[in-house]
Amino acid sequence: MDAVQRAKSGHPGMPMGMADIAEVLWNDFLRHNPGNPRWCDRDRFVLSNGHGSMLLYSLLHLTGYPLPMEEIVNFRQLHSMTPGHPEYGDTPGVETTTGPLGQGLANAVGMAIAEKVLAAQFNRGDHAIVDHHTYVFVGDGCLMEGISHEACSLAGTLGLGKLVVIYDDNGISIDGEVQHWYTDNTPARFAAYGWHVVPDVDGHDADAIHSAIASAREADDRPSLVCCKTIIGWGSPNKQGKESCHGAALGEDEVQLVRETIGWSHAPFHVPDDIAAAWDARSRGKAQEDAWAARFEAYRAAYPELAAQFTRRIEGKLPDGWGEHADTFIAEVQQACENIASRKASQNALEGFAPKLPELIGGSADLTGSNLTLHSGSRPISATSDDGNYLYFGVREFAMSAILNGLALHGGFIPYGATFLTFSEYARNALRMAALMGVPSIFVYTHDSIGLGEDGPTHQAVEQVATLRLMPNMSVWRPCDAAESAIAWRHAIERRQGPTSLLFSRQSLPHQARTREQLADAARGGYVLRDCAGTPQAVIIATGSEVALAVEASTILEQKGIAVRVVSMPCTDVFDAESASYRESVLPPSVKARVSVEAGVTDYWFKYIGNHGRPVGVDAFGLSAPYEKVYEYFGLTAESVVRAVEESIADVGAAAAGIAAEKIV
């Protein structure tokens, strides 16, 4: 109450309503060490209804995390450790960024999958080094969001027995009483998913809460939903049970009334010593981690190789020899000179890299045969088969993406998931959350353009490439052939500070000849693929399937006596991060005549081609026809690129003449 009141913004209702539940969970069940928030075998706690962040911050402060009272006082203030919604990386003990409702729940499903698979891969006999629960707080809003249906249905199918979700059934959302728009039989819904359900728990009765959570932990063959009836804003004489306490400070007078009602006579932000001591979990947490460390040492003695691999994976380090292995594979791909679809090249990259990476875990949203995400070492994960590395996500693009984020947040895995590029729209907010958190999820998108052909505009990606590039901290690769595809996969695997989107074609793409230096430069995001003698008159910049058009056009232009450079730019963000000297060596500032070629919207490319440039692309939705006809209809041909280059050169010449004439005058 005090923090929200001081900030004059926030959500006091849920923290007050769920405080009794939180007290029981955190003091009676949760295994964690405030002195080491990253202890790998800790229980995970996810506040999916993240607007109630002050509940989590209070718990972290009281139990002894390095979150001092000064940060509680600075709730929602600039650069504080207590932002309006929990943010991963800002606050010790926050497992994931939450606020967009339902996504924390889906992240938790990913964390529970990670625990299940890691346990199967590493536990041996009496040596249980992976053995923890994932607890989630959710509200009505989380369960109304469609992602909750996607994620919880899959969680039930997979039998995630160490996932415990506690539902704050207070019947209130921002617009008031949810009975007017949310009348689902939630316990029946989750029972139908195959969950263990504990209904009608009094969320203000500590004994009832304890019994319900204990029951959930015993049902270890399936996930559990504990349905707690609570009163939002509990303790507020005039606002409890009403939407008025959901998202606004109570007001000084009401705060004082609450103090009187619950018998709390202490000043704002003061915690008496006896209460602080009772909450402090540091010694208990250290003892729990020390006991685990002793078990791990016994495990290390019995299974030294497994212990070393476990430590490496939890630390997020790639295996010894990875760099040499990747170099050799990429060189072999270049030498093979295969003309194949880049989606097939992606599968080949998985085939080449996966044997070296036991931490690689992935799947597709019901498009495995089209996305080509299976490799020969893939083993499905199911309720009865934990020791796998492949997830059949079903038609659940949003949940798949948020689950990947949960897998990445948990640690021990490099997760990837695939669908068609146009369906990245279903998952957009999970991609944004991955980028915001800086977690290394890999999003694989095939059928990346109008090259999809006959399926038509509903399935043909046009604007998606540009919008992904506009997302801060999202690395986006659109490779032109098998070699660039392998390089893109390597980048995604090695990138630790954020997610990567890999965009691959449905149609076959021709192999591009490269020197060893060009192959190395491809990893820099943009490089000179085909050059001319002397200074070029124009530069053509292309990506993906359109690189071949650019090369063809440059040959025609050479025959016309026009010197042209072709730049392949598979990853604009990596190229933009290169030094100015490198970027200028690829795109000389003196060469003003420039053309971009990409089968998508064109606005993005003006940052590279400038005022005198000409973009060749698709500023409309696609059409249903064989892809060659669709390309021809939209002017994605070598002849169109040639005309664009000639127009750009003419425009630069006219502009130069105009400037000269002006100087004479």
Side-chain angles (χ1 to χ4, degrees):
M1 284 190 311
D2 292 336
V4 175
Q5 189 60 42
R6 181 180 177 89
K8 293 184 171 55
S9 83
H11 299 76
M14 183 283 261
M16 295 167 71
M18 294 196 79
D20 289 317
I21 302 167
E23 187 280 320
V24 173
L25 175 64
W26 279 63
N27 282 323
D28 296 356
F29 293 100
L30 198 70
R31 291 174 65 251
H32 63 118
N33 181 8
N36 180 14
R38 306 308 300 168
W39 170 33
C40 64
D41 201 40
R42 68 192 181 278
D43 288 340
R44 270 62 171 181
F45 174 78
V46 174
L47 189 78
S48 188
N49 41 354
H51 54 270
S53 57
M54 262 314 305
L55 176 61
L56 178 52
Y57 299 148
S58 299
L59 293 164
L60 294 172
H61 171 77
L62 288 168
T63 53
Y65 283 78
L67 187 67
M69 185 61 80
E70 291 78 12
E71 296 294 340
I72 303 294
V73 173
N74 285 328
F75 176 54
R76 288 187 161 225
Q77 304 309 300
L78 185 65
H79 302 315
S80 76
M81 294 169 65
T82 50
H85 291 81
E87 293 187 28
Y88 176 74
D90 282 7
T91 315
V94 169
E95 299 285 0
T96 181
T97 298
T98 56
L101 294 177
Q103 280 199 70
L105 174 56
N107 295 160
V109 171
M111 295 174 188
I113 292 172
E115 193 278 340
K116 174 187 175 83
V117 176
L118 270 181
Q121 291 179 349
F122 287 99
N123 289 352
R124 294 291 184 273
D126 293 335
H127 295 278
I129 61 166
V130 181
D131 183 12
H132 54 265
H133 286 76
T134 302
Y135 296 99
V136 194
F137 278 6
V138 302
D140 292 303
C142 289
L143 299 188
M144 280 188 260
E145 288 284 1
I147 191 172
S148 74
H149 299 258
E150 294 183 23
C152 294
S153 170
L154 183 61
T157 299
L158 294 177
L160 301 179
K162 290 185 178 175
L163 175 64
V164 178
V165 177
I166 301 176
Y167 168 33
D168 179 30
D169 184 8
N170 62 35
I172 297 292
S173 67
I174 291 175
D175 282 351
E177 297 179 1
V178 300
Q179 64 182 352
H180 302 296
W181 49 84
Y182 183 58
T183 57
D184 297 19
N185 185 335
T186 298
R189 171 187 151 195
F190 276 78
Y193 290 154
W195 286 52
H196 168 71
V197 178
V198 186
D200 299 320
V201 178
D202 183 344
H204 300 293
D205 181 331
D207 291 337
I209 297 164
H210 187 284
S211 177
I213 296 174
S215 171
R217 287 167 53 90
E218 290 171 5
D220 59 3
D221 61 335
R222 50 197 163 140
S224 292
L225 179 73
V226 178
C227 303
C228 292
K229 294 287 185 181
T230 65
I231 299 172
I232 190 171
W234 183 91
S236 173
N238 298 306
K239 295 189 177 183
Q240 71 176 23
K242 300 176 183 178
E243 66 272 17
S244 58
C245 69
H246 170 88
L250 297 179
E252 296 288 357
D253 292 343
E254 190 68 14
V255 168
Q256 184 56 39
L257 285 175
V258 177
R259 279 183 151 77
E260 295 170 6
T261 300
I262 67 174
W264 185 261
S265 59
H266 306 287
F269 302 106
H270 175 70
V271 180
D273 291 344
D274 58 335
I275 292 177
W279 269 97
D280 192 337
R282 284 174 291 186
S283 60
R284 183 174 75 241
K286 184 179 184 301
Q288 290 171 337
E289 183 174 358
D290 287 347
W292 176 86
R295 293 199 305 274
F296 187 75
E297 286 307 312
Y299 177 82
R300 191 198 307 273
Y303 304 100
E305 292 182 3
L306 280 174
Q309 185 186 135
F310 178 82
T311 300
R312 176 188 68 77
R313 286 174 55 173
I314 290 299
E315 292 176 350
K317 296 178 180 178
L318 291 170
D320 292 341
W322 160 256
E324 294 82 356
H325 177 84
D327 286 341
T328 300
F329 177 77
I330 291 168
E332 289 173 351
V333 170
Q334 178 65 31
Q335 292 167 5
C337 302
E338 288 186 292
N339 298 336
I340 55 176
S342 57
R343 62 171 174 159
K344 178 59 180 174
S346 168
Q347 185 180 44
N348 291 348
L350 281 170
E351 196 70 47
F353 292 147
K356 192 73 174 176
L357 299 169
E359 58 264 50
L360 200 62
I361 185 171
S364 283
D366 202 52
L367 291 168
T368 291
S370 293
N371 297 149
L372 302 182
T373 43
L374 275 177
H375 55 87
S376 60
S378 295
R379 304 180 309 281
I381 298 166
S382 69
T384 56
S385 178
D386 301 345
D387 184 17
N389 58 7
Y390 195 83
L391 288 155
Y392 288 95
F393 284 102
V395 187
R396 299 181 175 99
E397 296 89 353
F398 193 3
M400 173 184 73
S401 304
I403 287 169
L404 296 181
N405 292 343
L407 283 159
L409 287 161
H410 181 280
F413 292 99
I414 298 174
Y416 69 91
T419 185
F420 289 177
L421 178 56
T422 192
F423 300 141
S424 66
E425 301 292 352
Y426 281 129
R428 175 68 53 163
N429 202 255
L431 273 61
R432 185 175 188 270
M433 297 295 278
L436 176 63
M437 290 188 283
V439 297
S441 301
I442 301 174
F443 304 106
V444 178
Y445 297 122
T446 67
H447 299 61
D448 69 342
S449 69
I450 59 172
L452 180 56
E454 292 86 346
D455 279 337
T458 60
H459 285 51
Q460 291 171 2
V462 174
E463 73 276 22
Q464 285 76 14
V465 185
T467 59
L468 285 172
R469 289 185 181 127
L470 291 173
M471 188 178 293
N473 201 34
M474 175 64 74
S475 190
V476 182
W477 285 77
R478 188 169 185 254
C480 76
D481 66 358
E484 283 190 3
S485 297
I487 290 167
W489 260 109
R490 179 183 187 172
H491 169 89
I493 289 166
E494 293 179 353
R495 187 170 194 240
R496 307 309 303 164
Q497 69 274 25
T500 304
S501 291
L502 303 176
L503 317 183
F504 299 117
S505 72
R506 173 182 183 266
Q507 72 274 30
S508 182
L509 305 179
H511 167 77
Q512 299 297 331
R514 295 177 185 83
T515 65
R516 183 179 300 177
E517 182 180 8
Q518 286 174 312
L519 191 65
D521 283 346
R524 305 176 81 167
Y527 64 105
V528 179
L529 178 64
R530 189 176 190 273
D531 213 353
C532 58
T535 302
Q537 294 172 259
V539 175
I540 306 173
I541 309 168
T543 79
S545 44
E546 288 68 65
V547 168
L549 288 178
V551 171
E552 183 181 351
S554 70
T555 302
I556 297 171
L557 287 161
E558 276 187 1
Q559 293 169 354
K560 290 186 170 190
I562 300 174
V564 175
R565 169 179 290 183
V566 175
V567 170
S568 177
M569 195 174 288
C571 185
T572 59
D573 56 273
V574 168
F575 179 75
D576 289 347
E578 286 288 335
S579 66
S581 60
Y582 176 76
R583 286 184 277 117
E584 290 175 3
S585 73
V586 175
L587 300 175
S590 60
V591 182
K592 305 295 184 184
R594 299 181 182 184
V595 170
S596 64
V597 195
E598 184 172 68
V601 295
T602 60
D603 279 1
Y604 180 86
W605 287 102
F606 283 97
K607 63 185 283 190
Y608 299 108
I609 63 176
N611 294 335
H612 303 299
R614 294 290 187 275
V616 177
V618 184
D619 289 312
F621 294 113
L623 293 168
S624 176
Y627 81 88
E628 298 92 342
K629 297 292 184 183
V630 180
Y631 264 69
E632 184 178 350
Y633 177 85
F634 283 108
L636 281 163
T637 62
E639 291 73 20
S640 295
V641 177
V642 168
R643 285 194 300 272
V645 169
E646 291 172 337
E647 290 173 7
S648 184
I649 291 173
D651 192 38
V652 170
I659 292 170
E662 183 179 342
K663 287 180 178 178
I664 292 170
V665 171

